[in-house]
Amino acid sequence: MQTLEQIASCVAGYDPNALPVAQAQDFIARLVPRVQAVESLALRSALGRVLARDIVSAIDVPAHDNSAMDGFALRAADLATTGDTLIGVAGTAYAGAQFSGAVAPGQAVRIMTGAVMPEGLDTVVPQEFTTRLDDGRIRIPAGIVRPGDNRRLRGEDLARGEPALKAGRILTPADLGLMASLGQAELPVFRRLRVAFFSTGDELRSIGQPLDAGCVYDSNRYTIWGMLSRLGVELIDLGVVPDQPEALKAAFSQAAASADAVITSGGVSVGEADYTKQIMRELGEVLFWTIAMRPGRPMAIGRIGGQFGRDGRIGDPGKEAILFGLPGNPVAVMVTFYAFVRDALLAMSGATPQPLPLLRALSEAPLRKKPGRTEYQRGIVRQTDDGRWSVRITGAQGSGILRSMSEANGMVVLHHGQGNVAAGDLVDVIPFQGLV
Ligand code: AMP
Ligand code: MG
């Protein structure tokens, strides 16, 4: 395992005191380990979980050439080259049963959608184009089909021996269907990631407690809970931890012993006088960064050890968890989570990284932006009458103003090198819709 210094030496342009977002992401991607344990789950239980192995198809899907339409199967060579085709019908092929009759040259077979193509027939004429004559034959107008039309080929969905799904996929409803079409009853998935989280700060009160002078309700634990729930990880909520060394040690030890990752909020600012940073240093290998971003500049990152707590029982000295020490400001918590923690937790869960989808939208107003840092502004994206996307910023953007986040339906990302934006310029937006 590499030390944090060794990882830092691999990140080009690493500067802990003015770290560009991309460098911080690079560092974290190198730091985080992936869960190893694999469990086998029934197909439906695997929805949203991360596939642990490639799944190779043991059969051709479909297993036979079959009809894509209700109609008449025939040999394309039997179609008249000019004018209508008149052709006799040898019988009917139903879905789920092999057609056993003989088809003489110049004959068609009535066929249902999904029925196996009778031997030698290669084309299906949809029912609605045909007319049945009194003598039992059918009439097919010229130019209705080309050879091979409306025939599904054996193995066209999945050929035997081909990888149907690759390890690292987060399983979707379509994937479950695809696996069912292979007859796969169970899927190997990585075990769920366990993530512990708590809030630090003596000014924090939990819901239900009286709000003493100078205090605020702990909101971060709710936003973090929400974002983690969407990621599908196992949650360990350790509550609000007071700014006391023993309480912090106990919380970190319990987190390290029971979780793969620990997320804290608060107490990591540069001038912070409380014990959070000190205990992080004592119990782990931790770096304190100032990131070139707004909001969300301070952040702690590293590994925290499962040392013995005060009662001598909690914790496992050998076990460590990845620490994400997020800033305390409620908006900064969400922004740093989406910028760094989301991808890291997905990678730890075994998922192949998928960058956040970006929308390009016209800025409705000019935006002030200094080059040399990444800014995340909360915005409302809408579709204009001509079908394009435009975005306006939601009021005051202070990093403590959670309402700016709640009102927004996306985050405008003003990149590191970018300067001021003029009204009508295109900007990148991360839509919240569908974001985990
Ligand atoms: P800090 O990073 O600890 O200096 O906190 C920055 C600001 O965020 C302070 O105004 C804190 O009161 C506020 N804050 C910290 N933690 C929380 C929390 N869990 N819920 C709401 N506000 C918080
Ligand atoms: Mg504080």
Coordinates of all heavy atoms in Angstrom, one line a residue, residues 35-43 45-53 55 171 184-194 232 234 349:
V35 N -13.7 -2.7 -2.9 CA -14.1 -3.9 -2.1 C -13.8 -5.2 -2.8 O -13.8 -5.2 -4.1 CB -15.6 -3.9 -1.7 CG1 -16.0 -2.7 -0.8 CG2 -16.5 -3.9 -3.0
Q36 N -13.5 -6.2 -2.1 CA -13.1 -7.5 -2.7 C -14.2 -8.5 -2.6 O -14.4 -9.3 -3.5 CB -11.8 -8.0 -2.0 CG -10.6 -7.1 -2.2 CD -10.2 -7.0 -3.6 OE1 -10.3 -8.0 -4.4 NE2 -9.8 -5.8 -4.0
A37 N -14.9 -8.5 -1.5 CA -15.9 -9.6 -1.2 C -17.0 -9.6 -2.3 O -17.5 -8.5 -2.7 CB -16.5 -9.4 0.2
V38 N -17.4 -10.8 -2.7 CA -18.4 -10.9 -3.7 C -19.5 -11.8 -3.2 O -19.2 -12.8 -2.4 CB -17.8 -11.6 -5.0 CG1 -18.9 -11.9 -6.0 CG2 -16.7 -10.7 -5.6
E39 N -20.7 -11.4 -3.4 CA -21.8 -12.3 -3.0 C -22.7 -12.6 -4.2 O -22.7 -11.8 -5.2 CB -22.7 -11.7 -1.9 CG -23.2 -10.3 -2.2 CD -23.8 -9.6 -1.0 OE1 -24.4 -10.3 -0.1 OE2 -23.9 -8.4 -1.0
S40 N -23.5 -13.7 -4.2 CA -24.3 -14.0 -5.3 C -25.8 -13.7 -4.9 O -26.2 -14.1 -3.8 CB -24.1 -15.5 -5.5 OG -24.8 -15.9 -6.7
L41 N -26.4 -13.0 -5.8 CA -27.8 -12.5 -5.5 C -28.7 -13.0 -6.6 O -28.4 -13.0 -7.7 CB -27.8 -11.0 -5.4 CG -27.2 -10.3 -4.2 CD1 -27.4 -8.8 -4.2 CD2 -27.7 -10.9 -2.9
A42 N -30.0 -13.2 -6.1 CA -31.0 -13.5 -7.1 C -31.2 -12.3 -8.0 O -31.0 -11.1 -7.5 CB -32.3 -13.8 -6.4
L43 N -31.6 -12.5 -9.2 CA -31.6 -11.4 -10.2 C -32.2 -10.1 -9.7 O -31.6 -9.1 -9.8 CB -32.4 -12.0 -11.4 CG -31.9 -11.6 -12.8 CD1 -30.4 -11.6 -13.0 CD2 -32.6 -12.5 -13.8
S45 N -32.8 -9.0 -6.8 CA -32.1 -8.3 -5.7 C -30.8 -7.6 -6.1 O -30.2 -6.8 -5.4 CB -31.7 -9.3 -4.6 OG -32.8 -10.1 -4.2
A46 N -30.4 -7.9 -7.3 CA -29.1 -7.3 -7.8 C -29.3 -6.0 -8.5 O -28.3 -5.3 -8.9 CB -28.5 -8.3 -8.8
L47 N -30.5 -5.5 -8.6 CA -30.8 -4.2 -9.3 C -30.0 -3.1 -8.5 O -30.1 -3.0 -7.3 CB -32.3 -3.9 -9.2 CG -32.7 -2.5 -9.9 CD1 -32.4 -2.5 -11.4 CD2 -34.2 -2.3 -9.6
G48 N -29.3 -2.3 -9.2 CA -28.5 -1.2 -8.6 C -27.2 -1.6 -8.0 O -26.4 -0.7 -7.5
R49 N -26.9 -2.9 -7.9 CA -25.7 -3.4 -7.3 C -24.6 -3.4 -8.4 O -24.9 -3.3 -9.6 CB -25.9 -4.7 -6.7 CG -26.9 -4.7 -5.6 CD -26.4 -4.0 -4.4 NE -25.2 -4.7 -3.8 CZ -25.3 -5.7 -2.9 NH1 -26.5 -6.0 -2.4 NH2 -24.2 -6.3 -2.4
V50 N -23.3 -3.6 -8.0 CA -22.2 -3.6 -8.9 C -21.8 -5.0 -9.3 O -21.5 -5.8 -8.4 CB -21.0 -2.8 -8.3 CG1 -19.9 -2.8 -9.4 CG2 -21.4 -1.4 -7.9
L51 N -21.9 -5.3 -10.6 CA -21.5 -6.6 -11.1 C -20.0 -6.9 -10.8 O -19.2 -6.0 -11.1 CB -21.9 -6.7 -12.6 CG -21.8 -8.1 -13.2 CD1 -22.8 -9.0 -12.6 CD2 -22.0 -8.0 -14.7
A52 N -19.7 -8.1 -10.3 CA -18.4 -8.3 -9.9 C -17.6 -9.1 -10.9 O -16.3 -9.1 -10.9 CB -18.4 -9.1 -8.6
R53 N -18.3 -9.8 -11.8 CA -17.5 -10.6 -12.9 C -18.2 -10.3 -14.2 O -19.4 -10.1 -14.3 CB -17.7 -12.1 -12.6 CG -17.4 -12.5 -11.2 CD -16.0 -13.2 -11.0 NE -15.8 -13.6 -9.7 CZ -15.2 -12.8 -8.7 NH1 -14.8 -11.6 -9.0 NH2 -15.0 -13.3 -7.5
I55 N -20.2 -11.4 -17.4 CA -21.1 -12.5 -17.6 C -21.1 -12.9 -19.1 O -21.3 -12.0 -20.0 CB -22.6 -12.1 -17.2 CG1 -22.6 -11.6 -15.8 CG2 -23.5 -13.2 -17.5 CD1 -22.4 -12.7 -14.7
L171 N -26.1 -2.4 -12.1 CA -27.1 -3.1 -12.8 C -28.4 -2.4 -13.0 O -28.9 -1.8 -12.0 CB -27.3 -4.5 -12.2 CG -26.1 -5.4 -12.3 CD1 -26.1 -6.5 -11.2 CD2 -26.0 -6.0 -13.7
Q184 N -30.1 -16.7 -16.6 CA -29.2 -16.5 -15.4 C -30.1 -16.2 -14.2 O -30.7 -15.2 -14.2 CB -28.3 -15.4 -15.8 CG -27.2 -15.1 -14.8 CD -25.9 -15.7 -15.1 OE1 -25.7 -16.1 -16.3 NE2 -25.1 -15.9 -14.1
A185 N -30.0 -17.1 -13.2 CA -30.9 -16.9 -12.0 C -30.3 -16.0 -11.0 O -30.9 -15.3 -10.3 CB -31.2 -18.3 -11.4
E186 N -28.9 -16.0 -10.9 CA -28.2 -15.2 -9.9 C -27.1 -14.5 -10.5 O -26.6 -14.9 -11.6 CB -27.7 -16.2 -8.8 CG -28.7 -17.0 -8.1 CD -28.2 -17.7 -6.9 OE1 -26.9 -17.9 -6.8 OE2 -28.9 -17.9 -5.9
L187 N -26.7 -13.4 -9.8 CA -25.5 -12.6 -10.4 C -24.5 -12.4 -9.2 O -24.9 -12.2 -8.1 CB -26.0 -11.3 -10.9 CG -26.8 -11.3 -12.1 CD1 -27.3 -9.9 -12.5 CD2 -26.0 -11.8 -13.3
P188 N -23.2 -12.4 -9.6 CA -22.2 -12.1 -8.6 C -22.0 -10.6 -8.5 O -21.8 -9.9 -9.5 CB -20.9 -12.8 -9.2 CG -21.2 -12.8 -10.7 CD -22.7 -12.8 -10.9
V189 N -22.2 -10.1 -7.3 CA -22.1 -8.6 -7.1 C -21.1 -8.4 -6.0 O -20.9 -9.2 -5.1 CB -23.4 -7.9 -6.8 CG1 -24.4 -8.1 -8.0 CG2 -24.0 -8.5 -5.5
F190 N -20.5 -7.2 -6.0 CA -19.6 -6.8 -4.8 C -20.5 -6.6 -3.6 O -21.6 -6.1 -3.8 CB -18.8 -5.6 -5.1 CG -17.7 -5.8 -6.1 CD1 -17.8 -5.3 -7.4 CD2 -16.6 -6.7 -5.8 CE1 -16.7 -5.5 -8.3 CE2 -15.6 -6.9 -6.7 CZ -15.7 -6.3 -8.0
R191 N -20.0 -6.9 -2.5 CA -20.8 -6.6 -1.2 C -20.9 -5.1 -1.2 O -20.1 -4.3 -1.7 CB -20.1 -7.1 0.0 CG -18.9 -6.3 0.5 CD -18.7 -6.5 2.0 NE -17.4 -6.0 2.4 CZ -17.1 -4.7 2.6 NH1 -18.0 -3.8 2.4 NH2 -15.9 -4.4 3.0
R192 N -22.0 -4.7 -0.5 CA -22.2 -3.2 -0.4 C -21.1 -2.5 0.4 O -20.7 -3.1 1.4 CB -23.5 -3.0 0.4 CG -24.7 -2.7 -0.4 CD -25.8 -2.4 0.5 NE -27.1 -3.0 0.2 CZ -27.9 -2.6 -0.8 NH1 -27.5 -1.5 -1.5 NH2 -29.0 -3.2 -1.1
L193 N -20.8 -1.3 0.0 CA -19.8 -0.5 0.7 C -20.5 -0.1 2.0 O -21.7 0.3 2.0 CB -19.5 0.7 -0.1 CG -18.1 1.3 0.1 CD1 -17.0 0.4 -0.2 CD2 -18.0 2.6 -0.6
R194 N -19.7 0.0 3.1 CA -20.2 0.5 4.4 C -19.6 1.9 4.6 O -18.4 2.0 4.6 CB -19.8 -0.5 5.5 CG -20.7 -1.7 5.5 CD -20.4 -2.6 6.7 NE -19.2 -3.4 6.6 CZ -19.2 -4.6 6.1 NH1 -20.3 -5.2 5.6 NH2 -18.1 -5.3 6.0
G232 N -26.7 3.9 -2.7 CA -27.0 2.5 -2.4 C -25.9 1.8 -1.5 O -25.8 0.6 -1.5
E234 N -24.3 1.0 2.4 CA -24.8 0.7 3.8 C -24.4 1.9 4.7 O -23.2 2.3 4.7 CB -24.2 -0.6 4.3 CG -25.1 -1.7 4.6 CD -24.4 -2.9 5.0 OE1 -23.7 -2.9 6.1 OE2 -24.5 -3.9 4.3
S349 N -16.9 0.8 -4.5 CA -17.9 -0.2 -4.6 C -17.6 -1.1 -5.7 O -18.4 -2.1 -6.0 CB -19.3 0.5 -4.8 OG -19.6 1.4 -3.8

